[in-house]
């Protein structure tokens, strides 16, 4: 009975490990495709605001601003400065400040997080006009042009 239980556990572990390895490979492929998509469409010297920056920052040598603060410590100060406000309002205020401070011409957000956190709607509530990228969106993300003087889009 013990041997059968151990054998079943071993088989289950191998199956779970294989499924997780496939998920990681899929995620890596999605992120690599997103980085390639961004690299092909960003003009040199223009800045992109990025939510969930991780791999995109690793893969690209571009001016990127991490709106969460993992790579851009200024974001932490700005986000903390709006803590007394309702969540969606404070995210909009922070994005407004990031766009002004960096002169960003692009915004890249993770699809699920954008719907849940209201990142684009928060920025639009602050008066920004965001245009869905004319080439569509990269895998699992949403890409926007920030309509502002000084941004020359392809």
């Amino acid at each position: 009975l013990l041997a059968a239980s151990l054998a079943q556990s071993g088989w289950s572990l191998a199956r779970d490990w294989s499924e997780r390895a496939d998920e990681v490979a899929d995620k890596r492929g999605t992120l690599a495709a997103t980085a390639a998509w961004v690299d092909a469409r960003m003009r040199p010297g223009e800045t992109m605001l990025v939510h969930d920056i991780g791999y995109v920052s690793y893969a690209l040598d571009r001016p990127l601003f991490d709106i969460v603060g993992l790579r851009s410590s200024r974001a932490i100060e700005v986000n903390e400065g709006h803590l007394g406000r309702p969540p969606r309002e404070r995210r909009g205020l922070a994005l407004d400040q990031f766009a002004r401070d960096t002169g960003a011409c692009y915004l890249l957000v993770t699809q699920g997080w954008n719907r849940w956190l209201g990142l684009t709607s928060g920025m639009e509530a602050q008066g920004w006009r965001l245009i869905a990228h004319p080439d569509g969106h990269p895998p699992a993300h949403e890409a926007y042009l920030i309509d502002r003087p000084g941004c020359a889009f392809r």
Side-chain angles (χ1 to χ4, degrees):
L1 185 62
L2 179 60
S5 178
L6 289 173
Q8 182 181 5
S9 293
W11 179 80
S12 179
L13 178 63
R15 184 194 64 214
D16 290 347
W17 184 266
S18 176
E19 288 174 6
R20 297 297 172 252
D22 290 345
E23 288 175 17
V24 168
D26 288 347
K27 183 70 170 176
R28 184 180 303 125
T30 296
L31 293 172
T34 295
W37 190 96
V38 168
D39 196 43
R41 288 159 180 87
M42 265 185 88
R43 294 181 63 103
E46 291 183 331
T47 299
M48 177 178 276
L49 302 178
V50 182
H51 177 263
D52 200 9
I53 199 164
Y55 185 85
V56 174
S57 174
Y58 166 77
L60 298 177
D61 184 21
R62 298 284 192 159
L64 305 171
F65 185 87
D66 170 24
I67 66 173
V68 175
L70 299 174
R71 300 245 177 191
S72 306
S73 59
R74 172 81 174 117
I76 295 170
E77 298 169 29
V78 171
N79 285 315
E80 287 177 347
H82 298 295
L83 283 178
R85 299 181 180 272
R88 285 188 183 250
E89 181 184 353
R90 75 172 171 244
R91 284 188 284 273
L93 289 167
L95 283 164
D96 173 60
Q97 191 166 348
F98 301 149
R100 290 177 193 287
D101 290 352
T102 65
C105 294
Y106 307 91
L107 173 66
L108 180 70
V109 295
T110 306
Q111 279 176 344
W113 286 102
N114 186 36
R115 281 189 293 277
W116 185 55
L117 297 174
L119 300 170
T120 53
S121 61
M123 197 167 176
E124 288 169 333
Q126 296 303 312
W128 291 96
R129 182 169 173 254
L130 301 177
I131 304 164
H133 200 286
D135 292 344
H137 298 299
H141 292 80
E142 297 172 19
Y144 296 90
L145 308 175
I146 300 173
D147 188 15
R148 66 176 314 141
C151 295
F153 304 113
R154 289 190 224 187

